[in-house]
């Protein structure tokens, strides 16, 4: 009977100390208690602490819950190949870069005098922003500025009459 009671106490103690494990794309793991996976972030509490933390789902490969269940959150972005820059993520949501490593500022703009429409100028500016991020080894750009500048009358936004300028901060896993 003593062995049975001791075994019960050990199982309860083991269950109380069971932790969830976040497996990150940068290769590290976090032992914690996941409290929420809502929106674009996972909210968790580090082992032995009480303060809740947030990390972007972009940074997380999977969660192994204390129950034994595994949940894949995101696949790692493969930045190899000729058009790899197109896989870089542009966002204006601060939560999307929570827990990622800041690596520098990036810029993308088009010339004032060009043969591009407004929409095409926006696309070219985005491509340059993504390419700059990729050169730094980044996977996400937090866009901090996105402006269109018009030459002449603002209501006549045709070919060659606008410039698009985007500025952001590049992040890596």
């Amino acid at each position: 009977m003593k062995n049975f009671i001791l075994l019960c106490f050990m199982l309860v103690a083991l269950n109380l100390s069971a932790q969830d494990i976040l497996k990150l794309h940068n290769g590290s793991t976090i032992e914690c208690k996941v409290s929420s996976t809502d929106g674009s972030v996972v909210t968790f509490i580090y082992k032995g602490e009480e303060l809740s933390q947030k990390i972007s789902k972009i940074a997380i490969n999977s969660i192994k819950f204390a129950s034994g269940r595994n949940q894949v959150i995101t696949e790692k972005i493969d930045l190899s190949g000729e058009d790899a820059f197109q896989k870089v993520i542009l966002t204006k949501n601060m939560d999307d870069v929570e827990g990622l490593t800041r690596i520098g500022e990036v810029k993308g703009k088009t010339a004032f005098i060009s043969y591009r429409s407004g929409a095409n100028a926006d696309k070219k500016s985005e491509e340059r922003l993504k390419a700059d991020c990729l050169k730094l080894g980044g996977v996400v750009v937090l866009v901090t500025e996105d402006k269109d500048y018009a030459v002449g009358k603002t209501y006549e936004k045709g070919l060659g009459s606008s410039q698009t300028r985007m500025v952001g901060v590049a992040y890596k896993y």
Side-chain angles (χ1 to χ4, degrees):
M1 185 65 166
K2 287 181 185 179
N3 287 342
F4 178 73
I5 293 172
L6 183 61
L7 180 63
C8 287
F9 279 122
M10 288 176 58
L11 289 175
V12 168
L14 182 63
N15 194 28
L16 290 176
S17 67
Q19 295 288 307
D20 301 323
I21 298 174
L22 300 178
K23 182 179 176 188
L24 307 181
H25 288 301
N26 67 8
S28 64
T29 58
I30 299 174
E31 286 188 42
C32 60
K33 177 63 184 156
V34 173
S35 54
S36 169
T37 60
D38 296 333
S40 60
V41 295
V42 171
T43 306
F44 66 95
I45 300 171
Y46 280 107
K47 182 179 180 179
E49 295 185 9
E50 295 177 12
L51 185 65
S52 66
Q53 305 288 323
K54 292 192 292 186
I55 188 167
S56 170
K57 287 183 178 179
I58 294 170
I60 303 171
N61 175 259
S62 62
I63 303 172
K64 183 175 182 178
F65 291 98
S67 66
R69 182 174 65 91
N70 249 347
Q71 181 178 351
V72 174
I73 302 299
T74 61
E75 295 295 327
K76 187 172 185 175
I77 299 171
D78 178 18
L79 295 175
S80 61
E82 190 175 311
D83 292 333
F85 73 93
Q86 292 181 2
K87 298 174 190 171
V88 171
I89 298 169
L90 296 182
T91 185
K92 293 183 180 180
N93 183 356
M94 290 287 294
D95 285 344
D96 288 339
V97 296
E98 197 73 44
L100 296 174
T101 303
R102 179 187 173 124
I103 54 176
E105 188 174 276
V106 290
K107 297 177 184 177
K109 69 177 185 175
T110 57
F112 264 120
I113 308 300
S114 68
Y115 295 103
R116 300 184 190 284
S117 65
N120 198 3
D122 287 345
K123 182 179 176 190
K124 191 63 177 174
S125 185
E126 286 178 6
E127 287 176 356
R128 289 180 177 161
L129 198 67
K130 288 180 174 186
D132 280 356
C133 178
L134 182 64
K135 286 177 190 174
L136 294 175
V139 293
V140 179
V141 176
L142 177 62
V143 178
T144 57
E145 181 182 332
D146 185 1
K147 291 189 178 182
D148 291 329
Y149 299 95
V151 177
K153 299 177 183 175
T154 57
Y155 59 86
E156 292 179 3
K157 194 173 179 184
L159 290 175
S161 64
S162 67
Q163 178 188 40
T164 300
R165 180 173 188 262
M166 294 180 79
V167 178
V169 179
Y171 289 83
K172 67 179 183 175
Y173 291 126

